[in-house]
Amino acid sequence: MSIQVINPSTGELLGVSPELDAVDRDAALDRAQTAYADWKKQSFAQRAQVLRNIAQRLRNDVESLAPLMTLEMGKPIKEARAEVMKAALCADHYAEHGESYLAPDTLASDASLSYVQYLPLGVVLGILPWNAPFWLAFRFCAPALMAGNTCLMKHDPHVPACAEAIARLFEQSGAPAGLLQNLPLSNTDVEAVIRDPRVQAVSLTGSDRAGTVVASIAGAEIKPVVLELGGSDPCIVLADADLDKAADVITLSRIINAGQSCIAAKRIIVEAGIHDELVTRLEERLSKLKLGDPNEESTDIGPLAREDLRLNLHRQVQETIAAGAQCRLGGEIPEGPGYFYPVTLLTDVTNDMTAAREETFGPVAVVIKAEDQDEAMRLANDSQYGLAASIWTERSRGEKLARQLETGQVAVNGIVKTDPRLPSGGVKRSGLGRELGPHGMHEFVNAQQVWLG
C-alpha cells in the first residue's frame, strides 16, 4: 500500500511514497551481493576515499539537501543544515579511523602466533526512521561500508526525497554501483528482505514495538541485529548543580527537532530543595522559544512530522494532566494548518503518569520532584527504557552516580548526544548492541580467530 507524503507545516499533499515491486527488489539484492564481492577486497584506503568523496558532496550540496528534511518532516532549516554537516563528519570519521578500529588483536595462546582479525559480513540492511533522515542513514552505513560490507537502506516512507537524495549522493560521488541502495519497501515486504539469504545482518532505529518484530525475524534466521529503540531519558538535577547551565542545556535537549528525539531529556527529575528554582528557570526559557515555519531562520521549533504523532502526544499530555499534573505552559493543540504542538511544561508529575511511563516524542518537558539523591536515582531507573541519561551535580559525584544508572550512555553536566567517536545504544527495551565509535563498527564484522602452529 502506498503512503501519502504530507508537508507537516501546511498539511498539503507532497506526493505518494514509491514502492519497489518484487522484481526490482530482487535486482537490488543481486546488485548489493555483486558489489560486495569486489568491495570486500578493496583496501581501507580505497574505501576511505569513497567515504571522503561522499562527505565532500554532502558539504557542497548542503543548501539543496537540508530543505528536503524541512519539507518532508518539518525540521527547522538551521537544524537541517547542521544534520547534513554531521552526516559528512560521520563519513569522514570512519574514513580516518576505520582501519585502526578494525586492527587485528594479537592474543597469547599455545600457538606460535594467534590473533583476531575483523572481516566484513556481506550485505547489511538498515531500517531507518524519519526523525533524522541524513544523520541516521550515515550513522548506519559509514561504519558498515568502511568495514567492507555493502548496504541496503529501507528508509521511512514519509521521507522518500531524503532517501533518494542519499542514494544519489553515492552515484554522484563515483561510488561503486550497488554499494548503497535505497529500498522503498512497504513494511509488509521488509520481512522477506530480512530473511533473504543475501542479507547477512540488520540494523534498526525505531520503536521498541518495531524492534520486537525485527529482532524475532532476524533471530529466527540467526542473523546479527542492532536495535536502537525508544527512550524515556531521565535528566537528574541535584541540589549542587549549576541551575542556569542545567536549565539552558535541558531546554535545548528537550526541543531539538521539536522534541522528536530518542535521546532528548524527557523526565526531568529534580531534588526537592531546588525544584521550584529550576522550574522557574525552565519556564522562563521555554516560554521564549519561537514555534513556527521551519523554513524561517528564526524558528526554534517546527511542526511534528505527522498528525497521528501530534494526536498521540496530546493524549499523553491530557492523560498526565488528568492524573494530577500541572500544565505551566502549552498543552493545547493550536488552530490553523500544519501539525504544530506548543512547547509544554508539566510539573507535579509522578513516575506512574503517562508522560513519564511512555516515550514522549515532542516538545513536552516533564518535571518530577525527588526528595533526595537516592530517590532521584530510583526514579531514573524505574522505567522500561534504558537509552541515555544525564545528571547535573559536582563532577566527581556525577561520575560515581553514573555507574548506578541503567542506561547505555550518561552525560554528566552536559547534553546527551550522538558522536561518531563514541558508542551509542541502550539497555532494557531501548535496544541491543551499539552504533558509532569502535564498538559500533565491530557489530557487523566477523571476529575471526586465527591460530598458527
Side-chain angles (χ1 to χ4, degrees):
M1 179 183 295
S2 59
I3 290 178
Q4 291 187 332
V5 183
I6 304 294
N7 181 339
S9 298
T10 64
E12 296 174 350
L13 178 67
L14 294 173
V16 177
S17 188
E19 291 182 9
L20 282 185
D21 60 26
V23 173
D24 289 339
R25 184 180 72 214
D26 190 67
L29 285 160
D30 270 345
R31 285 192 296 271
Q33 182 78 351
T34 299
Y36 171 66
D38 182 64
W39 182 248
K40 68 179 179 180
K41 300 174 186 176
Q42 300 297 303
S43 67
F44 282 110
Q46 290 170 314
R47 296 174 198 162
Q49 189 56 55
V50 171
L51 287 180
R52 289 192 181 99
N53 291 345
I54 292 166
Q56 189 57 52
R57 174 70 66 169
L58 282 163
R59 294 188 179 97
N60 291 345
D61 295 351
V62 62
E63 293 301 331
S64 61
L65 297 173
L68 298 176
M69 287 182 273
T70 302
L71 182 66
E72 291 188 326
M73 50 76 59
K75 190 182 294 286
I77 189 63
K78 58 188 178 184
E79 290 186 17
R81 290 194 196 98
E83 181 175 324
V84 174
M85 301 304 281
K86 188 174 182 180
L89 176 68
C90 187
D92 273 341
H93 177 79
Y94 282 97
E96 181 70 22
H97 299 284
E99 183 172 6
S100 63
Y101 285 168
L102 295 186
D105 295 320
T106 300
L107 302 171
S109 74
D110 59 348
S112 59
L113 175 64
S114 48
Y115 58 93
V116 176
Q117 60 183 349
Y118 301 99
L119 308 176
L121 293 177
V123 180
V124 182
L125 171 66
I127 305 171
L128 305 175
W130 49 266
N131 58 326
F134 280 78
W135 164 242
L136 295 179
F138 278 85
R139 185 177 76 175
F140 151 66
C141 75
L145 292 173
M146 192 62 190
N149 303 295
T150 56
C151 292
L152 297 171
M153 179 181 64
K154 190 279 180 197
H155 222 316
D156 188 281
H158 295 92
V159 289
C162 292
E164 275 300 312
I166 292 166
R168 196 161 51 246
L169 283 168
F170 282 76
E171 298 171 7
Q172 295 169 339
S173 302
L179 188 66
L180 177 137
Q181 297 175 79
N182 176 37
L183 292 188
L185 302 175
S186 67
N187 288 339
T188 56
D189 290 334
V190 174
E191 179 174 353
V193 177
I194 296 174
R195 294 189 186 278
D196 193 287
R198 288 166 290 189
V199 170
Q200 298 302 311
V202 184
S203 174
L204 165 76
T205 299
S207 68
D208 58 325
R209 181 166 50 94
T212 300
V213 174
V214 168
S216 65
I217 299 169
E221 298 296 326
I222 317 180
K223 294 181 180 181
V225 61
V226 169
L227 306 174
E228 202 269 38
L229 309 178
S232 183
D233 293 4
C235 172
I236 301 165
V237 186
L238 299 180
D240 58 352
D242 180 334
L243 295 188
D244 283 322
K245 184 177 180 183
D248 287 341
V249 174
I250 292 168
T251 299
L252 176 63
S253 177
R254 184 57 271 184
I255 61 90
I256 288 177
N257 202 25
Q260 300 169 117
S261 169
C262 296
I263 56 171
K266 297 192 176 76
R267 291 180 297 140
I268 305 161
I269 302 170
V270 187
E271 199 166 2
I274 56 162
H275 174 273
D276 293 351
E277 294 177 66
L278 184 69
V279 167
T280 297
R281 286 168 166 81
L282 288 175
E283 185 172 6
E284 177 187 355
R285 287 159 173 78
L286 291 169
S287 64
K288 294 178 180 178
L289 297 172
K290 180 183 176 182
L291 177 72
D293 184 351
N295 293 289
E296 295 182 4
E297 299 288 345
S298 60
T299 294
D300 298 306
I301 302 170
L304 300 188
R306 302 195 308 268
E307 175 68 354
D308 62 305
L309 298 172
R310 179 168 72 163
L311 292 175
N312 186 58
L313 182 69
H314 190 55
R315 172 192 63 80
Q316 293 170 320
V317 168
Q318 292 302 303
E319 288 182 4
T320 304
I321 293 171
Q326 298 299 311
C327 185
R328 302 281 291 258
L329 288 173
E332 295 294 338
I333 295 178
E335 295 182 359
Y339 308 140
F340 294 93
Y341 199 83
V343 178
T344 298
L345 175 61
L346 302 178
T347 61
D348 297 331
V349 177
T350 58
N351 215 39
D352 58 350
M353 294 180 182
T354 300
R357 303 313 293 174
E358 299 179 7
E359 180 177 34
T360 50
F361 230 55
V364 176
V366 170
V367 181
I368 301 171
K369 184 188 292 186
E371 288 305 312
D372 54 25
Q373 170 194 296
D374 290 342
E375 186 184 22
M377 299 299 289
R378 179 186 66 77
L379 290 170
N381 289 330
D382 180 20
S383 173
Q384 64 178 329
Y385 298 109
L387 187 56
S390 54
I391 184 165
W392 291 85
T393 185
E394 187 275 324
R395 176 177 165 175
S396 61
R397 182 188 185 193
E399 191 173 4
K400 292 176 183 177
L401 291 174
R403 296 180 61 85
Q404 300 178 29
L405 289 167
E406 298 167 358
T407 59
Q409 64 186 94
V410 180
V412 178
N413 299 331
I415 193 169
V416 172
K417 59 187 176 182
T418 49
D419 183 322
R421 298 166 292 188
L422 301 172
S424 297
V427 296
K428 299 194 278 191
R429 291 194 68 82
S430 288
L432 297 171
R434 292 295 178 266
E435 295 181 298
L436 301 175
H439 302 77
M441 197 170 188
H442 278 245
E443 292 286 355
F444 295 133
V445 294
N446 169 19
Q448 183 187 73
Q449 179 220 111
V450 179
W451 187 98
L452 301 177

